[in-house]
Amino acid sequence: MNIVLGISGGIAAYKTPELVRRLRERGADVQIVMTDSAREFVTETALQAVSGRPIRSNLWDKEAEASMSHIELARWADVVLIAPATAELLSRLAGGSAPDLLTTLCLATEAPIAVAPAMNRVMWSNPAVQANRDTIVDRGMTIIGPEAGSQACGETGAGRMTEPDAIAAIVCDPRFTGEAAAGRLAGKTVLITAGPTREPIDPVRYITNRSSGKMGYAMARAARAAGARVVLVSGPVSLAAPRGVEMHSVETAREMYEATHEHVADADIFIAAAAVADYRPAQFADHKIKKSSADSVSMALVKTDDILASVAALESGPFCVGFAAETQNVRDNALKKLEGKRLDMIIANRVGASEGFDLDENTVCVYWPGEHRSFPTAAKTDLARDLVGIIADRYAVTQRDEAGGVSGSVVSLRGNNGS
Ligand code: PMT
């Protein structure tokens, strides 16, 4: 594994020779890129000795660029790891600015980027730093730590860089690069819905829900990393489009239904992660509805078409994976949806004002006919990699069963429902 290790100027930089050793022990080739301020905390000589490679730091170094340009370096990397990442570096990553070699590499690479922040606890809890952290997570980067404990500044709290061995274990895990799943969906098309829908009431109001799109976008990235062509039909969200994914932005449940059916013929696998409105206003008012003297008003709602059920009902439709968003009786309700919508698999999550929706983490249990697997709370990006792995496994089983004429559990579930 080729790792570009970016080091920015924080006191935790003194741990980076140890980090390089831990990465190399796990078989990684490490190319170090330092920012100018990192040199204040750790020497080039020490880092060159442990990495066995000349250190890169200057975007304008003609000699270094001639042997491997920054674009070649961005392509060489299987992983870009930034440790430690200062508050300033997080801000540059969030803003997409690239004044030096390290930040330029981050814009130019298609490799996964992992960031291990380290800073004083008050700085870490500052809303500006937290907003930058959220932005880079939304863009698909992985944040490792920071940990709580005693800090170099003498304070105690969250802000310590995660220990080198733990960082090395995370980035060298084949699941981090998608290597474990790499190629397993090569040649397949995965169609995914994500985000909420908006059902207009009048030109200024609509009915919607709390979905941020994070889960669906993470599934899209993971499916892409597994080698699939990915078509993402997204409701209105404020996330950046995942790299290499074909995007179709929609607003209403009707538009999502139409965009899904426009692309379903090519799809081998359909994953419905969107939180689609079950009902929409029966009438759309052409002009803003005025406040009247009445103390209450009522609005007629009509059912929307169920996109997932309609795809699962197609004669030679794709392998269908639903999500079940439940506030109670999660298992029973999920199983009812698995059977009622005639799905191959359902991913159940508990939702509420502080669960499931809009968070970076989720807790899910996956059900397929006769079996289930639960996952502890984890980052949506990590969960998505595992979920795509299970989907690829189950899809392969159904393909084998169909090719061999064996009536597997998935086939029999469909049979039970009369198809
Ligand atoms: O977007 P995030 O903030 O990251 O939150 C993630 C999530 C909670 C939205 C996601 O994990 C999730 O659970 N998505 C499904 C939400 C939902 O609408 O669940 P449901 O139980 O109401 O619907 C069951 C399934 O039918 C879902 O796959 C849904 O996409 C699909 N459906 C529902 C209604 C409809 N008209 N068409 C559909 O396709």
Side-chain angles (χ1 to χ4, degrees):
M1 182 186 281
N2 296 334
I3 298 184
V4 166
L5 171 61
I7 306 176
S8 65
I11 181 69
Y14 82 88
K15 293 182 179 173
T16 52
E18 169 76 5
L19 174 57
V20 176
R21 292 189 55 217
R22 300 282 90 91
L23 293 168
R24 294 196 70 191
E25 275 168 14
R26 288 170 189 270
D29 257 344
V30 182
Q31 171 63 60
I32 292 168
V33 175
M34 297 172 85
T35 63
D36 283 344
S37 49
R39 295 157 179 278
E40 304 289 329
F41 297 93
V42 60
T43 69
E44 251 186 56
T45 319
L47 289 168
Q48 185 157 323
V50 286
S51 69
R53 286 172 169 268
I55 307 305
R56 299 285 300 264
S57 52
N58 187 349
L59 189 54
W60 311 111
D61 180 338
K62 289 197 185 70
E63 231 171 80
E65 280 287 307
S67 70
M68 193 196 276
S69 76
H70 61 280
I71 296 296
E72 283 167 321
L73 191 51
R75 288 191 195 126
W76 174 86
D78 296 311
V79 171
V80 174
L81 165 64
I82 304 175
T86 59
E88 210 273 329
L89 197 95
L90 294 184
S91 157
R92 274 189 269 152
L93 291 177
S97 77
D100 57 18
L101 179 59
L102 178 55
T103 43
T104 304
L105 278 174
C106 290
L107 290 187
T109 192
E110 288 193 315
I113 300 176
V115 180
M119 66 196 75
N120 164 271
R121 67 173 181 90
V122 183
M123 288 173 77
W124 175 246
S125 63
N126 185 292
V129 174
Q130 289 298 305
N132 288 335
R133 173 200 172 277
D134 291 348
T135 303
I136 67 176
V137 168
D138 287 349
R139 300 218 173 110
M141 297 183 206
T142 299
I143 300 280
I144 302 175
E147 312 301 325
S150 64
Q151 300 198 277
C153 54
E155 298 190 17
T156 302
R160 278 170 65 96
M161 188 174 90
T162 301
E163 287 305 319
D165 199 38
I167 296 177
I170 292 168
V171 298
C172 292
D173 187 321
R175 282 177 304 174
F176 183 74
T177 50
E179 220 178 273
R184 293 179 57 198
L185 292 178
K188 303 295 169 201
T189 295
V190 179
L191 174 63
I192 301 178
T193 62
T197 61
R198 278 182 190 165
E199 307 306 323
I201 298 168
D202 67 17
V204 297
R205 303 181 181 96
Y206 52 77
I207 298 174
T208 190
N209 59 63
R210 292 176 189 274
S211 172
S212 62
K214 286 178 183 174
M215 192 71 240
Y217 276 52
M219 296 297 287
R221 280 198 187 89
R224 182 77 194 106
R229 168 184 170 234
V230 179
V231 180
L232 179 59
V233 177
S234 174
V237 298
S238 51
L239 303 176
R243 245 189 297 230
V245 162
E246 200 179 308
M247 283 289 300
H248 298 277
S249 297
V250 298
E251 197 154 308
T252 63
R254 186 70 222 162
E255 287 168 5
M256 190 171 273
Y257 180 98
E258 279 163 8
T260 300
H261 279 274
E262 206 173 297
H263 296 96
V264 76
D266 296 337
D268 300 286
I269 297 173
F270 175 54
I271 303 174
V276 188
D278 290 322
Y279 293 90
R280 63 173 171 78
Q283 302 283 336
F284 170 74
D286 287 336
H287 297 284
K288 184 181 168 194
I289 299 169
K290 294 286 179 199
K291 186 157 75 174
S292 71
S293 56
D295 285 339
S296 65
V297 290
S298 55
M299 182 170 52
L301 300 175
V302 292
K303 227 182 202 157
T304 59
D305 290 322
D306 193 308
I307 303 166
L308 177 58
S310 69
V311 171
L314 293 172
E315 185 102 10
S316 323
F319 182 88
C320 277
V321 182
F323 272 77
E326 307 295 339
T327 55
Q328 57 181 345
N329 303 330
V330 179
R331 177 181 172 279
D332 291 351
N333 286 329
L335 288 174
K336 266 186 213 151
K337 284 175 186 168
L338 179 72
E339 290 210 29
K341 299 195 190 203
R342 300 158 62 197
L343 307 178
D344 296 299
M345 184 177 269
I346 195 149
I347 301 166
N349 45 195
R350 189 177 288 277
V351 293
S354 57
E355 279 182 301
F357 285 123
D358 199 19
L359 301 170
D360 293 330
E361 295 188 328
N362 203 1
T363 316
V364 303
C365 186
V366 186
Y367 298 90
W368 60 96
E371 289 185 60
H372 74 278
R373 195 168 148 203
S374 38
F375 291 84
T377 304
K380 284 178 178 169
T381 45
D382 294 340
L383 268 179
R385 276 192 284 268
D386 288 339
L387 293 171
V388 165
I390 295 193
I391 292 168
D393 285 347
R394 292 301 308 161
Y395 171 71
V397 169
T398 58
Q399 293 302 101
R400 268 203 306 274
D401 288 350
E402 274 165 30
V406 179
S407 204
S409 52
V410 172
V411 175
S412 66
L413 175 86
R414 291 193 156 174
N416 288 343
N417 286 281
S419 71

